[in-house]
Amino acid sequence: MKEPDTAARVPAGRDLSIDFVRAICLPIVVVLHALQMGIGGDPLETFNALDGYPPLATVTWGGMIMPMFFIAGGFAGLITWRRIRERQGSASDYIRTRTLRLLRPTLLAVAATGALLAVFAVFGADDGFLGGFAHRLAEPLWFIVVYLALTAAVPAMAWLYERHRWSTFAGLAAGAVVVDVVVRLTGWPIGYLNWAFIWLFVQSLGFLVLDGWLAKRPLWWHVLVIACSYAGIGALVVFAGYSGDMLGNLNPPTLVILLLGFAQASILTLLQPAFRRLMQIQGVLVGIGALGIYGFVIYLWHTFAMGLVAGVQQAVGLPFPEPLSSGWWITRPFWILAVAAVVVLCCVVVPKLEGILWREPEGSVSIWLAWIMTVVGSIGVGVVLLFGYVPFWQTAAGLALMTMACVALELNFRSRKVE
């Protein structure tokens, strides 16, 4: 069979193995969120259907792929930053562009989901159900908050990586250890500091993947790293009381996630040649390309899709089987397919709407404006995350902060263009 000519389709120097990893991670996350959505009882209530489900805890030792996603994000982020520098661009250009590309789609998705839940309220949804359901739909926004911060940190982390590589890794790891030790010895609520220490560490592992440092290590080195990382995770679970469910170590992240990041960086390095070969297959290239193009739409709008499907199910009187019952498992494929159908529709409509509303930023902005507006936008997303869409005035406040950040950046570059 003739090999497809991908050269005309793929930008020179692009590592398709990273596209493969990011695309494969996405449906895993979305399907997991769909399975976790538990709705049942009389009156209806919502909860994590898989919470405490033993088989899931076992699967997460290999299937909890968020570190892999952040490694791939670090890889892609450093490439983008270096290209901007080659064009004589600045850190503010990078931060402003990336913030807008993350924040504007999030603003639209949050507004749509909030409007959908408002319809629930208008049609008399039980307050208890609505509040719990709204919180469940808001939970995936944690990734947007963290990713906004990590993206804004890429120029600074690249500077540290290029000048103080190993001391930076050591400092981040030490910070994570101190936070975990203090939390476990004192109970002080400082665990969320590891959203910075651990995810910046894991993102920086992506820098090592990009520069080929990990690829130069021998096979025995990677096997040793993977074995020691999982042994360390086992020791933390058995002797230090950490959760044996990797999802239980995710928010805030713990040392288990840091060790998982070590292991997954080596796993990614070992699998990269196979992923590159797979991406030479026309069907795989097209499928992964589609997931890459619509990936952010899928992530942002799959919660809207779950809300819409649940609303329709309730409106037409279809029952909600008891989670984890045989009836529940039998209906999960139909639930996931229904959610997927709405997501596909969103992939058709949302990019066109975004194309009407927004355009690529031009010109330049001050570094202070870029940082401040990234913080403002992150706080806006965080407000919705913490309060879960309900009460609606808090969602409106979050949307106002996100809008303020986007408008401030847009008005700044437009005024400079006029000058």
mmCIF file of all heavy atoms in Angstrom, residues 111-142:
data_model
loop_
_atom_site.group_PDB
_atom_site.id
_atom_site.type_symbol
_atom_site.label_atom_id
_atom_site.label_comp_id
_atom_site.label_asym_id
_atom_site.label_seq_id
_atom_site.Cartn_x
_atom_site.Cartn_y
_atom_site.Cartn_z
ATOM 1 N N ALA A 111 -21.052 30.707 29.272
ATOM 2 C CA ALA A 111 -22.307 31.439 29.093
ATOM 3 C C ALA A 111 -23.416 30.517 28.608
ATOM 4 O O ALA A 111 -24.562 30.585 29.085
ATOM 5 C CB ALA A 111 -22.094 32.586 28.108
ATOM 6 N N ALA A 112 -23.109 29.632 27.667
ATOM 7 C CA ALA A 112 -24.116 28.712 27.140
ATOM 8 C C ALA A 112 -24.584 27.730 28.204
ATOM 9 O O ALA A 112 -25.785 27.451 28.324
ATOM 10 C CB ALA A 112 -23.546 27.959 25.943
ATOM 11 N N THR A 113 -23.650 27.206 28.998
ATOM 12 C CA THR A 113 -24.024 26.248 30.045
ATOM 13 C C THR A 113 -24.839 26.933 31.132
ATOM 14 O O THR A 113 -25.822 26.376 31.642
ATOM 15 C CB THR A 113 -22.773 25.591 30.649
ATOM 16 O OG1 THR A 113 -21.990 24.999 29.604
ATOM 17 C CG2 THR A 113 -23.144 24.527 31.669
ATOM 18 N N GLY A 114 -24.444 28.154 31.494
ATOM 19 C CA GLY A 114 -25.223 28.911 32.470
ATOM 20 C C GLY A 114 -26.634 29.179 31.977
ATOM 21 O O GLY A 114 -27.608 29.073 32.733
ATOM 22 N N ALA A 115 -26.768 29.513 30.690
ATOM 23 C CA ALA A 115 -28.100 29.753 30.115
ATOM 24 C C ALA A 115 -28.936 28.481 30.120
ATOM 25 O O ALA A 115 -30.144 28.516 30.400
ATOM 26 C CB ALA A 115 -27.949 30.280 28.691
ATOM 27 N N LEU A 116 -28.294 27.350 29.826
ATOM 28 C CA LEU A 116 -29.005 26.075 29.850
ATOM 29 C C LEU A 116 -29.537 25.773 31.250
ATOM 30 O O LEU A 116 -30.697 25.360 31.419
ATOM 31 C CB LEU A 116 -28.071 24.954 29.385
ATOM 32 C CG LEU A 116 -28.644 23.533 29.438
ATOM 33 C CD1 LEU A 116 -29.801 23.375 28.452
ATOM 34 C CD2 LEU A 116 -27.547 22.509 29.131
ATOM 35 N N LEU A 117 -28.726 26.001 32.257
ATOM 36 C CA LEU A 117 -29.156 25.750 33.634
ATOM 37 C C LEU A 117 -30.237 26.739 34.054
ATOM 38 O O LEU A 117 -31.117 26.396 34.860
ATOM 39 C CB LEU A 117 -27.953 25.828 34.572
ATOM 40 C CG LEU A 117 -26.942 24.687 34.405
ATOM 41 C CD1 LEU A 117 -25.662 24.982 35.167
ATOM 42 C CD2 LEU A 117 -27.542 23.365 34.879
ATOM 43 N N ALA A 118 -30.191 27.953 33.510
ATOM 44 C CA ALA A 118 -31.258 28.917 33.791
ATOM 45 C C ALA A 118 -32.584 28.422 33.236
ATOM 46 O O ALA A 118 -33.640 28.619 33.855
ATOM 47 C CB ALA A 118 -30.890 30.278 33.197
ATOM 48 N N VAL A 119 -32.541 27.769 32.078
ATOM 49 C CA VAL A 119 -33.755 27.165 31.520
ATOM 50 C C VAL A 119 -34.280 26.081 32.460
ATOM 51 O O VAL A 119 -35.491 25.969 32.690
ATOM 52 C CB VAL A 119 -33.477 26.589 30.115
ATOM 53 C CG1 VAL A 119 -34.663 25.786 29.608
ATOM 54 C CG2 VAL A 119 -33.139 27.711 29.136
ATOM 55 N N PHE A 120 -33.370 25.272 33.020
ATOM 56 C CA PHE A 120 -33.766 24.268 34.012
ATOM 57 C C PHE A 120 -34.541 24.932 35.146
ATOM 58 O O PHE A 120 -35.586 24.440 35.582
ATOM 59 C CB PHE A 120 -32.528 23.577 34.594
ATOM 60 C CG PHE A 120 -31.991 22.435 33.786
ATOM 61 C CD1 PHE A 120 -31.814 22.537 32.419
ATOM 62 C CD2 PHE A 120 -31.633 21.241 34.402
ATOM 63 C CE1 PHE A 120 -31.307 21.503 31.670
ATOM 64 C CE2 PHE A 120 -31.137 20.177 33.660
ATOM 65 C CZ PHE A 120 -30.969 20.315 32.292
ATOM 66 N N ALA A 121 -33.998 26.056 35.640
ATOM 67 C CA ALA A 121 -34.622 26.748 36.765
ATOM 68 C C ALA A 121 -35.999 27.287 36.389
ATOM 69 O O ALA A 121 -36.961 27.182 37.161
ATOM 70 C CB ALA A 121 -33.712 27.880 37.242
ATOM 71 N N VAL A 122 -36.116 27.855 35.205
ATOM 72 C CA VAL A 122 -37.385 28.420 34.742
ATOM 73 C C VAL A 122 -38.465 27.344 34.674
ATOM 74 O O VAL A 122 -39.634 27.584 35.008
ATOM 75 C CB VAL A 122 -37.205 29.097 33.372
ATOM 76 C CG1 VAL A 122 -38.560 29.422 32.739
ATOM 77 C CG2 VAL A 122 -36.362 30.360 33.517
ATOM 78 N N PHE A 123 -38.063 26.145 34.272
ATOM 79 C CA PHE A 123 -39.038 25.057 34.133
ATOM 80 C C PHE A 123 -39.204 24.255 35.423
ATOM 81 O O PHE A 123 -39.716 23.142 35.404
ATOM 82 C CB PHE A 123 -38.651 24.154 32.976
ATOM 83 C CG PHE A 123 -39.024 24.707 31.629
ATOM 84 C CD1 PHE A 123 -38.132 25.506 30.936
ATOM 85 C CD2 PHE A 123 -40.271 24.456 31.085
ATOM 86 C CE1 PHE A 123 -38.477 26.037 29.694
ATOM 87 C CE2 PHE A 123 -40.625 24.991 29.849
ATOM 88 C CZ PHE A 123 -39.723 25.785 29.162
ATOM 89 N N GLY A 124 -38.731 24.818 36.527
ATOM 90 C CA GLY A 124 -39.061 24.263 37.831
ATOM 91 C C GLY A 124 -38.178 23.157 38.344
ATOM 92 O O GLY A 124 -38.632 22.338 39.163
ATOM 93 N N ALA A 125 -36.932 23.104 37.922
ATOM 94 C CA ALA A 125 -36.015 22.083 38.443
ATOM 95 C C ALA A 125 -35.843 22.259 39.944
ATOM 96 O O ALA A 125 -35.787 23.378 40.460
ATOM 97 C CB ALA A 125 -34.661 22.182 37.746
ATOM 98 N N ASP A 126 -35.791 21.146 40.660
ATOM 99 C CA ASP A 126 -35.597 21.176 42.111
ATOM 100 C C ASP A 126 -34.296 21.902 42.453
ATOM 101 O O ASP A 126 -33.252 21.666 41.828
ATOM 102 C CB ASP A 126 -35.552 19.742 42.648
ATOM 103 C CG ASP A 126 -35.290 19.696 44.132
ATOM 104 O OD1 ASP A 126 -36.220 19.964 44.916
ATOM 105 O OD2 ASP A 126 -34.123 19.390 44.505
ATOM 106 N N ASP A 127 -34.346 22.784 43.446
ATOM 107 C CA ASP A 127 -33.175 23.587 43.794
ATOM 108 C C ASP A 127 -31.982 22.722 44.191
ATOM 109 O O ASP A 127 -30.838 23.005 43.826
ATOM 110 C CB ASP A 127 -33.511 24.548 44.939
ATOM 111 C CG ASP A 127 -34.413 25.691 44.485
ATOM 112 O OD1 ASP A 127 -34.515 25.911 43.251
ATOM 113 O OD2 ASP A 127 -35.012 26.352 45.363
ATOM 114 N N GLY A 128 -32.252 21.659 44.966
ATOM 115 C CA GLY A 128 -31.174 20.776 45.385
ATOM 116 C C GLY A 128 -30.519 20.075 44.211
ATOM 117 O O GLY A 128 -29.292 19.998 44.109
ATOM 118 N N PHE A 129 -31.349 19.565 43.312
ATOM 119 C CA PHE A 129 -30.818 18.909 42.113
ATOM 120 C C PHE A 129 -30.049 19.901 41.259
ATOM 121 O O PHE A 129 -28.945 19.618 40.787
ATOM 122 C CB PHE A 129 -31.942 18.284 41.305
ATOM 123 C CG PHE A 129 -31.517 17.857 39.931
ATOM 124 C CD1 PHE A 129 -30.791 16.690 39.743
ATOM 125 C CD2 PHE A 129 -31.821 18.637 38.812
ATOM 126 C CE1 PHE A 129 -30.381 16.293 38.478
ATOM 127 C CE2 PHE A 129 -31.429 18.249 37.545
ATOM 128 C CZ PHE A 129 -30.692 17.078 37.370
ATOM 129 N N LEU A 130 -30.625 21.084 41.053
ATOM 130 C CA LEU A 130 -29.995 22.062 40.172
ATOM 131 C C LEU A 130 -28.639 22.496 40.703
ATOM 132 O O LEU A 130 -27.666 22.589 39.945
ATOM 133 C CB LEU A 130 -30.914 23.278 40.021
ATOM 134 C CG LEU A 130 -30.462 24.340 39.011
ATOM 135 C CD1 LEU A 130 -30.400 23.751 37.607
ATOM 136 C CD2 LEU A 130 -31.400 25.549 39.051
ATOM 137 N N GLY A 131 -28.551 22.716 42.005
ATOM 138 C CA GLY A 131 -27.278 23.120 42.586
ATOM 139 C C GLY A 131 -26.208 22.053 42.443
ATOM 140 O O GLY A 131 -25.072 22.334 42.050
ATOM 141 N N GLY A 132 -26.578 20.799 42.738
ATOM 142 C CA GLY A 132 -25.609 19.716 42.611
ATOM 143 C C GLY A 132 -25.212 19.469 41.176
ATOM 144 O O GLY A 132 -24.029 19.243 40.872
ATOM 145 N N PHE A 133 -26.176 19.528 40.280
ATOM 146 C CA PHE A 133 -25.903 19.302 38.859
ATOM 147 C C PHE A 133 -24.996 20.402 38.305
ATOM 148 O O PHE A 133 -24.065 20.140 37.540
ATOM 149 C CB PHE A 133 -27.234 19.270 38.097
ATOM 150 C CG PHE A 133 -27.120 18.773 36.679
ATOM 151 C CD1 PHE A 133 -26.466 17.593 36.380
ATOM 152 C CD2 PHE A 133 -27.690 19.502 35.642
ATOM 153 C CE1 PHE A 133 -26.376 17.131 35.076
ATOM 154 C CE2 PHE A 133 -27.620 19.050 34.337
ATOM 155 C CZ PHE A 133 -26.947 17.861 34.048
ATOM 156 N N ALA A 134 -25.276 21.639 38.708
ATOM 157 C CA ALA A 134 -24.456 22.762 38.260
ATOM 158 C C ALA A 134 -23.010 22.612 38.719
ATOM 159 O O ALA A 134 -22.069 22.889 37.964
ATOM 160 C CB ALA A 134 -25.047 24.075 38.771
ATOM 161 N N HIS A 135 -22.805 22.156 39.945
ATOM 162 C CA HIS A 135 -21.444 21.933 40.444
ATOM 163 C C HIS A 135 -20.748 20.845 39.638
ATOM 164 O O HIS A 135 -19.558 20.962 39.312
ATOM 165 C CB HIS A 135 -21.475 21.567 41.925
ATOM 166 C CG HIS A 135 -21.386 22.754 42.831
ATOM 167 N ND1 HIS A 135 -20.203 23.391 43.102
ATOM 168 C CD2 HIS A 135 -22.350 23.435 43.516
ATOM 169 C CE1 HIS A 135 -20.408 24.406 43.927
ATOM 170 N NE2 HIS A 135 -21.703 24.453 44.186
ATOM 171 N N ARG A 136 -21.460 19.794 39.320
ATOM 172 C CA ARG A 136 -20.861 18.709 38.548
ATOM 173 C C ARG A 136 -20.434 19.199 37.167
ATOM 174 O O ARG A 136 -19.376 18.826 36.661
ATOM 175 C CB ARG A 136 -21.852 17.554 38.396
ATOM 176 C CG ARG A 136 -22.252 16.854 39.679
ATOM 177 C CD ARG A 136 -21.128 16.052 40.289
ATOM 178 N NE ARG A 136 -20.576 15.110 39.334
ATOM 179 C CZ ARG A 136 -19.362 14.571 39.443
ATOM 180 N NH1 ARG A 136 -18.589 14.909 40.451
ATOM 181 N NH2 ARG A 136 -18.913 13.712 38.551
ATOM 182 N N LEU A 137 -21.246 20.038 36.543
ATOM 183 C CA LEU A 137 -20.912 20.545 35.218
ATOM 184 C C LEU A 137 -19.746 21.528 35.262
ATOM 185 O O LEU A 137 -19.031 21.689 34.269
ATOM 186 C CB LEU A 137 -22.134 21.216 34.587
ATOM 187 C CG LEU A 137 -23.323 20.311 34.262
ATOM 188 C CD1 LEU A 137 -24.429 21.113 33.584
ATOM 189 C CD2 LEU A 137 -22.918 19.137 33.374
ATOM 190 N N ALA A 138 -19.544 22.182 36.399
ATOM 191 C CA ALA A 138 -18.466 23.171 36.511
ATOM 192 C C ALA A 138 -17.110 22.543 36.832
ATOM 193 O O ALA A 138 -16.071 23.172 36.607
ATOM 194 C CB ALA A 138 -18.819 24.207 37.581
ATOM 195 N N GLU A 139 -17.099 21.331 37.361
ATOM 196 C CA GLU A 139 -15.848 20.742 37.848
ATOM 197 C C GLU A 139 -14.725 20.695 36.810
ATOM 198 O O GLU A 139 -13.566 20.974 37.139
ATOM 199 C CB GLU A 139 -16.119 19.342 38.409
ATOM 200 C CG GLU A 139 -16.785 19.372 39.776
ATOM 201 C CD GLU A 139 -17.107 17.981 40.291
ATOM 202 O OE1 GLU A 139 -17.022 17.016 39.509
ATOM 203 O OE2 GLU A 139 -17.452 17.860 41.479
ATOM 204 N N PRO A 140 -14.996 20.360 35.534
ATOM 205 C CA PRO A 140 -13.891 20.313 34.568
ATOM 206 C C PRO A 140 -13.224 21.656 34.311
ATOM 207 O O PRO A 140 -12.158 21.701 33.669
ATOM 208 C CB PRO A 140 -14.565 19.777 33.292
ATOM 209 C CG PRO A 140 -15.745 18.992 33.785
ATOM 210 C CD PRO A 140 -16.232 19.769 34.965
ATOM 211 N N LEU A 141 -13.803 22.751 34.794
ATOM 212 C CA LEU A 141 -13.184 24.065 34.591
ATOM 213 C C LEU A 141 -11.880 24.219 35.356
ATOM 214 O O LEU A 141 -11.111 25.150 35.088
ATOM 215 C CB LEU A 141 -14.161 25.178 35.011
ATOM 216 C CG LEU A 141 -15.394 25.368 34.113
ATOM 217 C CD1 LEU A 141 -16.325 26.411 34.725
ATOM 218 C CD2 LEU A 141 -14.993 25.773 32.701
ATOM 219 N N TRP A 142 -11.587 23.311 36.309
ATOM 220 C CA TRP A 142 -10.315 23.407 37.014
ATOM 221 C C TRP A 142 -9.150 23.371 36.028
ATOM 222 O O TRP A 142 -8.136 24.068 36.217
ATOM 223 C CB TRP A 142 -10.158 22.261 38.036
ATOM 224 C CG TRP A 142 -9.814 20.929 37.433
ATOM 225 C CD1 TRP A 142 -10.678 19.948 37.072
ATOM 226 C CD2 TRP A 142 -8.509 20.440 37.087
ATOM 227 N NE1 TRP A 142 -10.001 18.880 36.528
ATOM 228 C CE2 TRP A 142 -8.667 19.143 36.528
ATOM 229 C CE3 TRP A 142 -7.230 20.956 37.195
ATOM 230 C CZ2 TRP A 142 -7.595 18.381 36.083
ATOM 231 C CZ3 TRP A 142 -6.140 20.196 36.747
ATOM 232 C CH2 TRP A 142 -6.345 18.922 36.202
#
